[in-house]
Amino acid sequence: MDHAADAHRTDLMTITRFVLNEQSKHPESRGDFTILLNHIVLGCKFVCSAVNKAGLAKLIGLAGETNVQGEEQKKLDVLSNEVFVKALVSSGRTCILVSEEDEEATFVDPSKRGRYCVVFDPLDGSSNIDCGVSIGTIFGIYMMKDNHEPTLDDVLQPGKQMLAAGYCMYGSSCTLVLSTGEGVNGFTLDPSLGEFILTHPGIKIPKKGKIYSVNEGNAKNWDGPTAKYVEKCKFPKDGSSSKSLRYIGSMVADVHRTLLYGGIFLYPADKKSPSGKLRVLYEVFPMSFLMEQAGGQAFTGKQRALDLVPTKIHERSPIFLGSFDDVEDIKALYAAEGKKE
């Protein structure tokens, strides 16, 4: 037995240790936020295990119900949603939960109520389960504005008011990327320990990237600026190399690659979906929050994504996010379009 190696293994920066270290920087903290994050991490571990043995556990296949968005639900969606709702309620630190799978927001029973509101997509990209493509959980955390009876207004806040956001990607490895407003850190699940270990400290997105990521099948319905931007990626007029196209169709996987390698992820509005397709609260906001924390940008075609004020919990928005310079280019095209009108 290699005792030296085992001793070294205990000196790992686990996500629990990392969050406790962060908490110690705030002497006024009561530890509520740390407890909430621990419950989210537990939910991610549970879903990761379910996703890994999905075929065996007969979890794959349609549960025969359709969710709010009109997508047929996979059994794993249903399970993941239940896991996160239970994990968040049992933390005793939440007051309102908004899930992609539930039409209405969940108001936590007063006996288990805390001061945080959590918005989440329990299993994003679940239509990809059958072909083994990475899927993930996305979440964002708000705090109640003050001590009052919780209302929907407590979650219908602009993304810039979020305290923390993150996603957990279930792929070749299980990776959790988190920001509490002081940079972005990535953790990877070590299955032998059952712990998330800090593997990507201080993630910074490159200022400019070589990849663009968009569903080109929608090209005939795009607006002018999006069409011009994609054309420019493929046929640059300034003599530079053209960008590579990478599109997985699972937001967590596409954003994860964009965050690590740079480039731009686009899900524009089009004639078919004039408000865009991605949901503001639990897809656009958390991913935009992470991008900005990593030194990138996120833009809706009209404004900074995190300045958007949602009016409905399942509201949708177009989104362009990624490397700072790449998003600047698309902003310039929208500004030029605006001047023409």
Side-chain angles (χ1 to χ4, degrees):
M1 195 173 165
D2 188 345
H3 290 295
D6 281 348
H8 174 67
R9 275 163 65 100
T10 58
D11 190 33
L12 297 166
M13 179 58 82
T14 65
I15 194 163
T16 312
R17 187 172 154 198
F18 180 85
V19 170
L20 285 168
N21 281 0
E22 289 301 302
Q23 184 193 319
S24 65
K25 295 176 189 170
H26 304 276
E28 73 290 352
S29 151
R30 301 199 316 231
D32 287 353
F33 189 60
T34 306
I35 291 167
L36 173 60
L37 281 174
N38 274 335
H39 277 74
I40 290 174
V41 167
L42 180 65
C44 291
K45 286 179 186 172
F46 196 102
V47 173
C48 177
S49 149
V51 166
N52 284 339
K53 57 174 189 270
L56 296 174
K58 297 277 186 290
L59 287 166
I60 291 181
L62 302 178
E65 295 167 24
T66 298
N67 71 358
V68 204
Q69 317 304 338
E71 300 159 352
E72 282 192 285
Q73 267 188 349
K74 300 270 176 173
K75 287 179 186 170
L76 266 173
D77 292 26
V78 184
L79 175 82
S80 308
N81 192 42
E82 284 172 7
V83 164
F84 277 101
V85 169
K86 283 178 182 156
L88 291 165
V89 170
S90 68
S91 73
R93 301 299 184 274
T94 57
C95 53
I96 308 172
L97 310 178
V98 171
S99 165
E100 193 247 7
E101 298 292 336
D102 296 327
E103 195 153 356
E104 303 294 331
T106 301
F107 288 87
V108 179
D109 186 86
S111 63
K112 292 183 181 159
R113 200 174 278 169
R115 52 193 177 148
Y116 296 104
C117 311
V118 183
V119 292
F120 60 100
D121 185 343
L123 205 59
D124 185 72
S126 55
S127 59
N128 288 310
I129 293 167
D130 293 344
C131 61
V133 168
S134 296
I135 50 184
T137 299
I138 309 173
F139 62 89
I141 303 171
Y142 288 107
M143 196 167 179
M144 282 267 288
K145 291 170 186 163
D146 47 46
N147 284 336
H148 59 262
E149 195 59 26
T151 67
L152 272 187
D153 286 344
D154 292 306
V155 281
L156 295 174
Q157 299 186 55
K160 62 185 175 190
Q161 306 286 9
M162 272 186 178
L163 287 187
Y167 59 80
C168 187
M169 185 173 74
Y170 316 110
S172 51
S173 59
C174 180
T175 310
L176 195 147
V177 174
L178 173 71
S179 174
T180 54
E182 291 176 23
V184 182
N185 291 284
F187 303 83
T188 304
L189 185 64
D190 179 335
S192 67
L193 297 175
E195 286 280 7
F196 279 101
I197 309 296
L198 180 64
T199 48
H200 296 72
I203 297 172
K204 284 278 172 234
I205 185 169
K207 196 154 186 293
K208 194 171 180 58
K210 296 177 181 157
I211 297 172
Y212 73 104
S213 184
V214 64
N215 182 353
E216 290 225 36
N218 293 332
K220 68 174 181 150
N221 296 318
W222 286 343
D223 61 12
T226 302
K228 277 187 195 133
Y229 182 77
V230 172
E231 188 70 9
K232 200 175 129 194
C233 290
K234 295 199 261 196
F235 305 102
K237 300 272 196 298
D238 58 4
S240 60
S241 304
S242 43
K243 289 187 189 294
S244 295
L245 169 66
R246 297 281 182 275
Y247 187 69
I248 299 164
S250 174
M251 189 191 191
V252 173
D254 279 314
V255 170
H256 187 64
R257 183 203 54 247
T258 306
L259 195 57
L260 296 184
Y261 299 168
I264 186 167
F265 169 82
L266 310 85
Y267 210 118
D270 58 29
K271 296 189 186 98
K272 223 169 40 178
S273 314
S275 307
K277 196 91 183 279
L278 297 176
R279 272 72 56 142
V280 172
L281 275 180
Y282 41 79
E283 289 175 328
V284 170
F285 279 171
M287 294 311 202
S288 301
F289 186 91
L290 289 166
M291 275 301 162
E292 286 201 5
Q293 284 292 322
Q297 290 196 78
F299 178 63
T300 65
K302 293 192 174 113
Q303 63 187 126
R304 173 190 176 210
L306 293 179
D307 287 340
L308 195 65
V309 182
T311 54
K312 300 194 295 287
I313 60 172
H314 296 297
E315 192 170 313
R316 298 173 191 258
S317 166
I319 186 67
F320 306 87
L321 52 78
S323 294
F324 194 93
D325 290 355
D326 293 326
V327 178
E328 276 299 304
D329 290 346
I330 194 108
K331 280 162 82 172
L333 289 167
Y334 272 99
E337 181 87 355
K339 282 183 190 136
K340 274 191 239 163
E341 285 169 8

